[in-house]
Amino acid sequence: MDPEFWLQRWREGLIGFHQDDFNPYLLRHWASLEPRPGEGVLVPLAGKSKDMLWLRDQGHRVLGVEISPLAVRAFFEENGLECQCRETGDFVCHSGAAIDLWCGDFFHLRPEDTGDIRLAYDRAALVALPPDLRRRYAEHMKALLAAPDAAILLVTMDYPQTQMDGPPFSVTEAEVRDLYEPEFQVTHLETFDALAAYPKFAERGLTRLEERVYHLNRRG
Ligand SMILES: C[S@@+](CC[C@H](N)C(=O)[O-])C[C@H]1O[C@@H](n2cnc3c(N)ncnc32)[C@H](O)[C@@H]1O
């Protein structure tokens, strides 16, 4: 998926992935990462997700990364937040209300940008990418979250890939393990039978669709 694909989706308003409410898996499972007060959270491929507000409201410093300037502007405008802008390297950094949303290519983010951040929240990020980019993405996440106790809350979709083209792409538990083990311990937290919740995917031919939630923990 080249960046132009996503820029075009935002220009055309084809953003069916966006949720107006906080993600229920985030609310249910965030505590399992044993977050510490005030610590930073990386939100890759962030869109204009309201989950960044929820994480901020838990007392976290949020660093979101999103390639579409339209998404970044919409996040601050729609939530009535003022922001300051500055350019750093390959990014235009928008900061306001304890949220940093960096506009640019996630793959250009450097470990010095994430610093001591040890937590990440991935909803609809890994599954937004085709297979070859998923490997690169996971390697990049591992490099950015270098802390010995780094942890990721990961929400995926799993469906018969032959029945529908992505995105969202199907990512099986076997693939999650293949991408993140052995550096990270992969714990499956929950599976939700989601076909009825997303009728548009049933219309596109899917006969099975699961949302799956994982807790990934760097092995000490
Ligand atoms: C499926 S959406 C998910 C957005 C968000 N995580 C959510 O839950 O609403 C994927 C997002 O990743 C962004 N994106 C795709 N490739 C990117 C890249 N290389 N760097 C930064 N953002 C990217 C797209 O513009 C899109 O907003």
Side-chain angles (χ1 to χ4, degrees):
M1 235 70 302
D2 72 58
E4 184 50 36
F5 170 88
W6 291 104
L7 297 174
Q8 184 70 14
R9 293 278 290 248
W10 280 98
R11 279 196 293 268
E12 293 178 1
L14 298 173
I15 54 165
F17 52 81
H18 178 72
Q19 299 183 315
D20 286 326
D21 296 321
F22 300 136
N23 185 278
Y25 308 120
L26 173 65
L27 274 54
R28 248 196 314 280
H29 297 296
W30 184 247
S32 76
L33 273 62
E34 299 181 1
R36 301 170 195 138
E39 73 175 323
V41 178
L42 174 66
V43 182
L45 283 60
K48 58 172 185 173
S49 172
K50 289 202 184 297
D51 295 335
M52 290 187 278
L53 297 173
W54 186 85
L55 288 163
R56 188 277 313 270
D57 290 345
Q58 308 312 299
H60 293 296
R61 290 176 291 118
V62 174
L63 172 56
V65 183
E66 167 55 47
I67 204 155
S68 165
L70 287 180
V72 171
R73 270 202 301 278
F75 174 77
F76 287 101
E77 281 173 18
E78 291 173 12
N79 294 298
L81 304 174
E82 304 233 329
C83 71
Q84 314 280 324
C85 295
R86 70 188 161 86
E87 288 195 24
T88 308
D90 294 338
F91 293 91
V92 180
C93 311
H94 300 245
S95 303
I99 295 173
D100 291 324
L101 190 45
W102 287 22
C103 189
D105 189 336
F106 171 73
F107 293 100
H108 293 184
L109 198 67
R110 302 160 312 167
E112 49 269 47
D113 299 322
T114 45
D116 63 357
I117 291 181
R118 71 170 190 100
L119 299 181
Y121 170 57
D122 174 336
R123 184 258 165 191
L126 179 65
V127 300
L129 302 172
D132 52 329
L133 267 190
R134 295 203 285 272
R135 165 77 53 196
R136 197 174 148 213
Y137 168 89
E139 292 306 317
H140 200 52
M141 286 287 277
K142 291 179 207 171
L144 294 172
L145 300 172
D149 53 353
I152 304 170
L153 184 66
L154 169 64
V155 182
T156 65
M157 286 184 159
D158 185 333
Y159 63 85
Q161 189 68 86
T162 50
Q163 294 182 348
M164 187 180 89
D165 290 333
F169 293 92
S170 175
V171 177
T172 63
E173 176 163 349
E175 182 174 348
V176 172
R177 292 185 181 281
D178 185 47
L179 291 174
Y180 280 101
E181 286 178 345
E183 296 94 329
F184 281 71
Q185 180 177 349
V186 174
T187 306
H188 170 242
L189 297 173
E190 176 176 351
T191 295
F192 174 64
D193 179 351
L195 201 55
Y198 299 105
K200 66 174 182 174
F201 290 133
E203 283 161 23
R204 284 170 69 183
L206 286 197
T207 55
R208 178 180 68 79
L209 173 64
E210 292 166 355
E211 282 185 313
R212 297 176 65 86
V213 189
Y214 303 91
H215 174 171
L216 314 183
N217 247 101
R218 190 179 278 285
R219 292 180 199 271

